[in-house]
Amino acid sequence: MNKYLDVKDDVAEALAAGKPVVALESTIISHGMPYPQNLETALAVEAIVRESGAVPATIAVIGGRLKAGLSREEIELLGKRGTEVIKASRRDLPFIVAAGKDGATTVAATMIVAALAGIRIFATGGVGGVHRGAQESFDISADLEELAKTNVAVICAGAKSILDLGLTLEYLETRGVPVIGYGTEELPAFYTRKSGFGVDYRLDSPEEIARALSVKWALGLSGGALIANPIPEKYSMDPAVINAAIDRALAEAKAAGIKGKATTPFLLAKIKEITGGESLESNIELVYNNARLASRIAVAFSAMAGS
Ligand code: PSU
Ligand code: MN
């Protein structure tokens, strides 16, 4: 066990017994949604994972400790303090730990802590990727490099078209990261079920996905996988509405000279401001949907590992 890591009791017990565990990230809580919806969502996602037969492990840094599994009070703190909590990606982790601070972990940092704890399955909303205009800005999320090297599968609703989805897929292909569509041949674009880009493999059941992951890692092919789960039809948004909001958010970010780690949170906040409650509701529902699928994959994966 790493000396900077605390694994919550119920998570440690499940891992020791080979029972299913699902990791959850915390940048989405502190930087991805407003209070109090962020807190309600974080607690509801944990409940959904439990109802689906797995143990939730929300991941963050609290007082300089890497946490796999948070108490209710800790989740409340991340929700209430919001953007005051440092957004923590791979490069930030050592400094937040060394200074004894709190950090809300991105997909990359959540994968790192999950892997340290022995958790293989992780559910979130959207992942980072290659930004539009990356040819000039070089803005490529550290999430992609993490997927290339850390053995954790990430269940998401695809990626938002604040990113260049085509370049994101090219990057993942180069780094050997498989992109699986759950029940779809097309990469979903977060708020919408379609993007016009194909996935690498379509798989139609959690068992098939768990088997592919288990074979990948048994072959020593290190790194993660991206499992893209389309937003439920009922909550999917009109592509014209969401794309107009994304274009406006991108233009405002450019005009304001937003750079580096501030880019993604700025764009997400602007989209929410422009589209109002509809995008927030969709965002919440797709996270629930991903937590359900991730739990089913974790259940199938732990049954295979035990056999
Ligand atoms: N994309 C979303 N919602 C999010 C994020 C990205 O649609 O909440 C968050 C995730 O935590 C992701 C991070 O890991 O932003 C990526 O930030 P960056 O692009 O700075 O690597
Ligand atoms: Mn970036």
Side-chain angles (χ1 to χ4, degrees), residues 15 21 29 39 64 123 143 145 157 165 183 194 198-199 201 277 279 292 306:
L15 289 169
V21 176
I29 306 175
L39 174 58
D143 292 354
E145 273 303 297
L165 298 183
K194 294 195 182 298
V199 295
Y201 296 94
S279 73
R292 266 176 234 117

Side-chain angles (χ1 to χ4, degrees), residues 212-290:
L213 293 172
S214 153
V215 171
K216 174 181 161 76
W217 291 321
L219 288 171
L221 299 171
S222 59
L226 204 60
I227 294 135
N229 185 26
I231 183 171
E233 196 85 60
K234 188 172 163 209
Y235 299 102
S236 72
M237 291 180 69
D238 178 352
V241 170
I242 195 68
N243 289 332
I246 287 171
D247 287 342
R248 229 180 95 192
L250 285 165
E252 289 193 32
K254 195 166 182 193
I258 306 295
K259 286 196 175 63
K261 73 189 281 189
T263 303
T264 298
F266 179 94
L267 293 171
L268 300 181
K270 276 287 164 206
I271 293 166
K272 254 155 242 161
E273 196 182 301
I274 298 164
T275 57
E278 191 190 350
S279 73
L280 182 58
E281 191 193 5
S282 296
N283 196 347
I284 292 170
E285 291 297 333
L286 67 82
V287 172
Y288 294 166
N289 192 45
N290 295 343

Side-chain angles (χ1 to χ4, degrees), residues 185-216:
E185 326 238 303
E186 216 175 298
L187 181 73
F190 199 85
Y191 295 117
T192 56
R193 293 171 61 86
K194 294 195 182 298
S195 66
F197 293 95
V199 295
D200 303 328
Y201 296 94
R202 171 187 172 155
L203 297 179
D204 292 332
S205 71
E207 292 72 24
E208 284 172 272
I209 295 171
R211 178 156 305 284
L213 293 172
S214 153
V215 171
K216 174 181 161 76

